[in-house]
Amino acid sequence: MLHAQSLLDELNGLALGHPIYLYQEIGSTNDAARRLAQAGAPEGLLVVAEAQTAGRGRAGRSWLTPPGTALAFSLVLRPKVEAAQASRLTMLAGVVVCEAIEQAAPVSAELKWPNDVLVGGRKAGGILVEAEMIGDRLAFAIVGVGLNVNAAPPPEAVHFPATSLRDEAGRPVERLPLLRAILTRLEARYPGLASAGLPAAWRSRLKMLGRPVVVHGPEGELAGMAEDVDADGALVLRLDSGERRRILAGDARLRPA
Ligand code: BTN
């Protein structure tokens, strides 16, 4: 169980992570953080939950957070960037979560476009960034992170093969030091949110580039070569017809040879 005092002690001295709301059970930390942000909460506010009953993933999927084994949190950020740069927050969160996992456990982490965190080729976590705009500026963004730390969801509950950090590391992983590592790295990289270095760091973690993929998205199913990603987070797909498409949302899978 996550204890309030241990959480405060672990995050002591960090710029992000104030104020902190800890729930033993909540619907979704993203929803709670959004309500607080709409009421004027400052940048850095953090909502952490031991368990979520209505955790959400991308594309309206549910996200399981059973008690005692996972990390589920949402951070309020108010970056002074244009609305079009909201995808930078998904890049930022993906990169720092990978870095923090590698610091906390003897494993390598990578990303699957657009927002999945993979360890050992299987999904160990996900990122859900939800932004609110004022005109063409970002009013605030909620950066939600869910990690399967010491247990993986059952196969029938997931869309992509899942794992946990414990399964991949071969030993339990402590949740609070992992949370501290994520926030520490986020603080370090946050000033570079609009820099060219961030898409480059994100691109270097992405698993499928240069490989044949099938993407299921709003335009249906598209097959081609995952050539690149651009600075806005779009996947650049070279279709089998030779046409080049920018894809902003969807699920990519490697195409069997
Ligand atoms: C995905 O893989 O599609 C993203 C999953 C994001 C889950 C996290 S858990 C904390 C935060 N609260 C939510 O309801 N979702 C995110």
Side-chain angles (χ1 to χ4, degrees):
M1 182 163 137
L2 296 171
H3 295 281
Q5 193 56 51
S6 315
L7 185 60
L8 287 170
D9 290 348
E10 189 71 45
L11 302 188
N12 187 30
L14 292 179
L16 297 175
H18 306 286
I20 308 181
Y21 290 73
L22 170 64
Y23 295 89
Q24 293 308 323
E25 187 177 280
I26 195 172
S28 155
T29 57
N30 263 38
D31 291 345
R34 173 187 287 269
R35 280 193 294 274
L36 290 161
Q38 284 167 339
E43 171 157 286
L45 179 141
L46 182 68
V47 179
V48 181
E50 176 71 65
Q52 295 185 111
T53 53
R56 290 184 290 106
R58 210 167 42 81
R61 293 182 188 138
S62 60
W63 181 263
L64 293 179
T65 308
T69 65
L71 206 48
F73 66 88
S74 301
L75 182 70
V76 174
L77 292 177
R78 296 182 178 275
K80 293 180 178 46
V81 296
E82 290 176 11
Q85 287 193 306
S87 64
R88 292 290 181 116
L89 292 161
T90 301
M91 298 183 196
L92 177 71
V95 170
V96 303
V97 165
C98 286
E99 291 174 343
I101 287 173
E102 291 176 354
Q103 180 184 326
V107 296
S108 296
E110 54 190 356
L111 296 170
K112 185 167 88 65
W113 180 87
N115 69 332
D116 293 343
V117 179
L118 305 187
V119 178
R122 294 187 289 167
K123 181 160 171 165
I127 289 154
L128 184 65
V129 173
E130 296 178 309
E132 274 199 21
M133 320 296 178
I134 300 180
D136 62 355
R137 310 291 294 174
L138 214 76
F140 65 80
I142 308 302
V143 178
V145 176
L147 287 173
N148 308 326
V149 182
N150 289 314
E156 63 275 12
V158 294
H159 285 79
F160 188 82
T163 190
S164 71
L165 302 184
R166 178 188 186 140
D167 286 344
E168 301 301 321
R171 62 162 169 79
V173 173
E174 281 191 70
R175 292 182 287 166
L176 291 186
L178 177 60
L179 175 58
R180 184 182 175 90
I182 293 170
L183 294 176
T184 303
R185 283 165 189 279
L186 214 152
E187 278 181 27
R189 285 193 174 270
Y190 189 39
L193 186 67
S195 73
L198 180 61
W202 184 60
R203 179 186 288 111
S204 72
R205 293 270 179 187
L206 284 172
K207 180 184 159 67
M208 291 180 181
L209 297 186
R211 311 274 305 269
V213 296
V214 178
V215 183
H216 298 263
E219 300 176 55
E221 193 172 288
L222 293 171
M225 189 66 77
E227 273 194 349
D228 202 356
V229 282
D230 66 19
D232 296 327
L235 180 69
V236 180
L237 189 68
R238 178 74 64 182
L239 302 185
D240 293 345
S241 64
E243 186 192 339
R244 195 170 172 272
R245 286 272 187 99
R246 281 181 78 244
I247 302 181
L248 289 164
D251 284 302
R253 279 170 193 270
L254 285 178
R255 188 159 45 144

